[in-house]
Amino acid sequence: MQFKYYIRTKVFFGKGCMFQNKTELCRFGRKALIVTGGRSAKESGVLSDICNIFDEFKIEYGIFDRVENNPSLETVTEGGKTARDFKADFIVGIGGGSPLDAAKAIAVLAVNDMDPTGLYSNTFANKPLPIIAIPTTAGTGSEVTPYSVLTRKDLQTKMSFGNEDTFPALAFMDAAYTESMPYDVTVNTAIDALCHAIEGYLSRRSTPVSDLFAIEAVDIFRQCLDRLINNNIDFDTREKLLYMAMLGGMVISHTGTTIIHGMGYSLTFYKDIPHGRANGLLLAEYLKFNYDSAKDKIDNLLKLLGKDDIGQFGKAISPLLGAGPLLNSSEVDNYSAITMQQRTTSFNIRNVTVSDIANMYKAVSSNE
Ligand code: NAP
Ligand code: FE
């Protein structure tokens, strides 16, 4: 048995956890740049709560609220310049995965005047500013991962970077901040968390510890499934989903993702399908593809999910996903070639060829 376990983030979880631990926010300096999108920080209530705390402790803050969904290199470059000009001591990311990932890149660029493509070298002359993460979705687990997934318009896909210094230093996880999430975002992010757990569990890089987190996350997803389908999502369920998302993040911090994410990026980039839904559409085909290479683990997953076989599981989650994308053959070829370029494709438990990927895309396409 050989593995590494490392999560650098100090996590506070539970209703009211930010107020209860507000002195933690004073550890990082006198000037904070808040990084967020157009609505999540305001609608969740995090922005007014944290501004009150900053006022109380006389911490000066600026707000960069221009992060779009699936943030681009261009946006984080602008954010990095804003942080540098403001002379921020630390960065606070508030929102779903998009603002949290952008916050990590901005924390690096604030202190490294470099071409943003240099982020992917994962070595930075100066250590990134400390990052505080406050999730308002329950899915990406970005609050406990080192990864920052950014849209590469030049490469027509999404790519992630991250090293041990891009783990958030601190995460406040309060399900009350996820209550304002629209229903579709709640569903898509829950599916993303499920995919993190499953891809990590079946990854070549899975470890005994990451498997524990993955199994627990899948079990929690089963507990929440009916409420997700029926849009009957109470606070207890929100808390479970946030916890599941955190566990999924802890899993992929060790294992990375595999081909579901690699394939899903093209569905997001070209078809504008939200990240979690893009992954979910591929999930059942991915399990079928890998079944012979990970029979015991996939049987265990199905047992945890209370399903007899992959087909039954696919049917159970289909109300959350809707119809697959319309893909023509040149799109399938293009997306498959792009997926093969993703580093994480090599982490898949079964060796993958470009035609395997193409077959999975065809199977989920509404054309077929
Ligand atoms: P998101 O793109 O951050 O947010 C989706 C939408 O929901 C946005 O319009 C957002 O508003 C809104 N929203 C979020 N929370 C809300 C709230 N509480 N109330 C009202 N509206 C709210 O969605 P996400 O699925 O969490 O993140 C997806 C991104 O994370 C993708 O780029 C994906 O690649 C990445 N990701 C990262 C990791 C990792 O390890 N770092 C893992 C998986 C995925 P705003 O306009 O304010 O943002
Ligand atoms: Fe994801």
Side-chain angles (χ1 to χ4, degrees):
M1 223 193 252
Q2 262 196 347
F3 63 88
K4 169 176 134 183
Y5 174 80
Y6 186 77
I7 297 281
R8 208 193 66 169
T9 309
K10 186 170 188 177
V11 170
F12 290 95
F13 190 103
K15 196 166 188 167
C17 66
M18 186 163 74
F19 274 112
Q20 287 153 19
N21 300 285
K22 59 188 178 185
T23 53
E24 291 279 339
L25 284 165
C26 306
R27 291 198 285 126
F28 303 99
R30 307 307 311 164
K31 287 183 102 173
L33 182 71
I34 293 171
V35 172
T36 188
R39 52 188 293 208
S40 48
K42 289 191 200 100
E43 291 183 21
S44 62
V46 181
L47 190 63
S48 65
D49 285 355
I50 202 163
C51 290
N52 284 338
I53 295 172
F54 283 160
D55 288 343
E56 180 185 339
F57 290 114
K58 304 206 166 22
I59 292 172
E60 199 184 329
Y61 58 86
I63 301 177
F64 180 77
D65 62 2
R66 302 174 54 125
V67 180
E68 73 278 43
N69 293 359
N70 309 298
S72 62
L73 274 190
E74 290 75 7
T75 300
V76 298
T77 305
E78 195 191 325
K81 185 175 179 315
T82 306
R84 209 172 320 136
D85 291 348
F86 181 62
K87 298 191 172 44
D89 296 318
F90 62 105
I91 305 292
V92 183
I94 303 174
S98 298
L100 300 192
D101 287 3
K104 295 172 188 174
I106 289 169
V108 177
L109 295 173
V111 286
N112 291 282
D113 197 358
M114 63 201 252
D115 186 284
T117 54
L119 289 169
Y120 292 93
S121 70
N122 278 331
T123 46
F124 316 121
N126 301 310
K127 274 194 189 272
L129 296 179
I131 302 150
I132 296 174
I134 309 174
T136 65
T137 64
T140 70
S142 180
E143 60 277 6
V144 292
T145 77
Y147 310 124
S148 169
V149 187
L150 302 172
T151 298
R152 295 286 306 256
K153 293 180 188 160
D154 53 338
L155 301 178
Q156 307 221 316
T157 189
K158 297 171 69 176
M159 270 174 70
S160 76
F161 79 92
N163 65 19
E164 290 188 352
D165 295 323
T166 53
F167 271 106
L170 182 62
F172 290 117
M173 307 184 63
D174 184 337
Y177 293 142
T178 67
E179 284 187 304
S180 57
M181 245 197 300
Y183 175 64
D184 61 332
V185 180
T186 304
V187 166
N188 294 338
T189 51
I191 296 274
D192 188 28
L194 176 70
C195 289
H196 296 160
I198 292 181
E199 281 176 87
Y201 186 58
L202 300 180
S203 164
R204 282 183 207 272
R205 300 170 74 201
S206 76
T207 75
V209 183
S210 69
D211 282 357
L212 273 179
F213 292 151
I215 286 167
E216 181 68 3
V218 171
D219 187 60
I220 295 171
F221 181 83
R222 179 189 44 75
Q223 295 171 37
C224 299
L225 181 57
D226 284 348
R227 284 182 176 272
L228 280 170
I229 289 173
N230 299 323
N231 192 4
N232 177 18
I233 304 160
D234 58 5
F235 183 78
D236 181 53
T237 306
R238 294 240 175 246
E239 208 158 52
K240 282 184 174 150
L241 292 171
L242 190 62
Y243 180 57
M244 170 180 82
M246 182 199 74
L247 293 173
M250 289 176 169
V251 172
I252 58 168
S253 288
H254 295 91
T255 63
T257 53
T258 63
I259 52 175
I260 294 185
H261 272 67
M263 293 176 71
Y265 290 154
S266 285
L267 298 182
T268 300
F269 186 86
Y270 289 103
K271 298 285 178 186
D272 204 23
I273 298 178
H275 174 69
R277 180 163 171 260
N279 293 338
L281 288 166
L282 296 157
L283 184 50
E285 284 307 316
Y286 158 87
L287 290 174
K288 282 187 216 160
F289 174 74
N290 283 303
Y291 188 73
D292 286 339
S293 305
K295 190 173 175 311
D296 289 350
K297 277 192 156 182
I298 293 179
D299 283 343
N300 193 37
L301 286 173
L302 293 169
K303 199 168 116 199
L304 287 164
L305 291 159
K307 303 297 167 208
D308 294 334
D309 54 43
I310 297 169
Q312 210 183 65
F313 168 63
K315 276 206 190 83
I317 59 166
S318 68
L320 298 175
L321 299 171
L326 285 168
L327 302 177
N328 63 36
S329 61
S330 72
E331 287 170 328
V332 166
D333 291 347
N334 182 26
Y335 301 0
S336 303
I338 291 171
T339 304
M340 292 304 285
Q341 300 299 316
Q342 291 282 352
R343 196 175 67 98
T344 51
T345 298
S346 64
F347 303 156
N348 194 67
I349 191 75
R350 177 174 163 189
N351 286 336
V352 187
T353 66
V354 72
S355 64
D356 295 329
I357 299 287
N359 287 337
M360 280 183 266
Y361 275 126
K362 284 182 202 153
V364 302
S365 166
S366 307
N367 282 338
E368 297 295 314

